[in-house]
Amino acid sequence: MLIEIERPAMNLRPVLVYRWMVFLLAAGYCLRMLILGDFSGNFGGPFRFLTIWALFLSFFAASRMMAIEEGRSENRWDGLVSMVAVLNTMVVFLYWRLYFADPNSVTRNGELGIWHLELYLHGLGPLLQVIDAVFIHRSFRKLQTAIGWLLGVIGAYVLWAELIVQRFNAKPVGDVTSGLPYPFLNNLELPQRMIFYGSNIATAVVLLLIYAGLAWAVRRRFRGPVTP
């Protein structure tokens, strides 16, 4: 007598497929950075750059979204997800604004890197994170927590760049100092750099509020969150 074992149907919900795609892309580029990143030329290697911080935070956020989607977590990670979306937007905005103003200010010899890496790090990857945060996860509900995450991550990066990266690196060389990860920073006096950092923190908070308004409108228009 043959006993037929009932197999559960594979769940191919669009949101699950989307989140797997986001997760695998982030994981792949994180692994690529760890294996192929230049760790020999400068202290800190690729982690000197805010873009790489955003990449690894995106990977962690994507892993949490997968855990929620597969029912392995009841924690929404709202503050973290909101922060990652804003940080990614800041990376894209700052990078291309500075690049189009002066390519040498953020790149080596004014030349863009490998095309698919540039496309993902400064375009597609951040966009995928923002889409999930606003339209699927519908984040930006705990603004105080999100602001705390933003201030903590940006503050940690500034301290890392100013106190450690600059101290242990001789390049890039600027008119004022040397060693700071982005060439243009080495042409600014410390008070000017503090103003630059402060203005970007303010911009990040404004972006957070804009995304919060958009996410609120999405929740109002489409009743019931896609994820718990």
Side-chain angles (χ1 to χ4, degrees), residues 172-190:
V173 177
D175 298 332
V176 175
T177 187
S178 61
L180 289 168
Y182 296 99
F184 77 95
L185 289 175
N186 295 287
N187 296 326
L188 302 177
E189 297 283 355
L190 180 60

Side-chain angles (χ1 to χ4, degrees), residues 89-111:
T89 304
M90 288 293 298
V91 164
V92 172
F93 172 74
L94 285 171
Y95 183 84
W96 292 113
R97 180 172 70 87
L98 291 167
Y99 176 81
F100 286 118
D102 178 9
N104 291 298
S105 66
V106 289
T107 63
R108 183 179 299 175
N109 301 322
E111 298 179 358

Side-chain angles (χ1 to χ4, degrees), residues 129-211:
Q129 290 288 330
V130 170
I131 289 173
D132 195 322
V134 174
F135 296 100
I136 302 175
H137 186 252
R138 299 179 189 179
S139 311
F140 308 97
R141 304 180 190 213
K142 299 180 179 179
L143 295 186
Q144 289 183 335
T145 304
I147 290 174
W149 273 103
L150 271 175
L151 295 178
V153 170
I154 295 175
Y157 178 76
V158 170
L159 292 175
W160 160 252
E162 291 283 339
L163 301 181
I164 300 176
V165 173
Q166 182 187 27
R167 180 179 178 183
F168 292 102
N169 287 301
K171 295 180 180 179
V173 177
D175 298 332
V176 175
T177 187
S178 61
L180 289 168
Y182 296 99
F184 77 95
L185 289 175
N186 295 287
N187 296 326
L188 302 177
E189 297 283 355
L190 180 60
Q192 293 175 304
R193 298 201 300 273
M194 291 301 106
I195 292 173
F196 174 77
Y197 299 141
S199 66
N200 282 288
I201 290 174
T203 302
V205 173
V206 171
L207 274 173
L208 175 66
L209 296 177
I210 292 173
Y211 278 143

Side-chain angles (χ1 to χ4, degrees), residues 70-91:
E70 295 180 341
R72 294 182 284 108
S73 174
E74 296 181 357
N75 191 340
R76 278 184 51 86
W77 294 89
D78 193 275
L80 171 78
V81 174
S82 303
M83 177 275 294
V84 171
V86 172
L87 188 67
N88 272 291
T89 304
M90 288 293 298
V91 164

Side-chain angles (χ1 to χ4, degrees), residues 6-7 14 30 52 59 96 100 127 142 165 170 172 187 202 214:
E6 183 178 353
R7 298 179 182 275
C30 284
I52 307 307
F59 167 69
W96 292 113
F100 286 118
L127 177 61
K142 299 180 179 179
V165 173
N187 296 326
L214 179 58

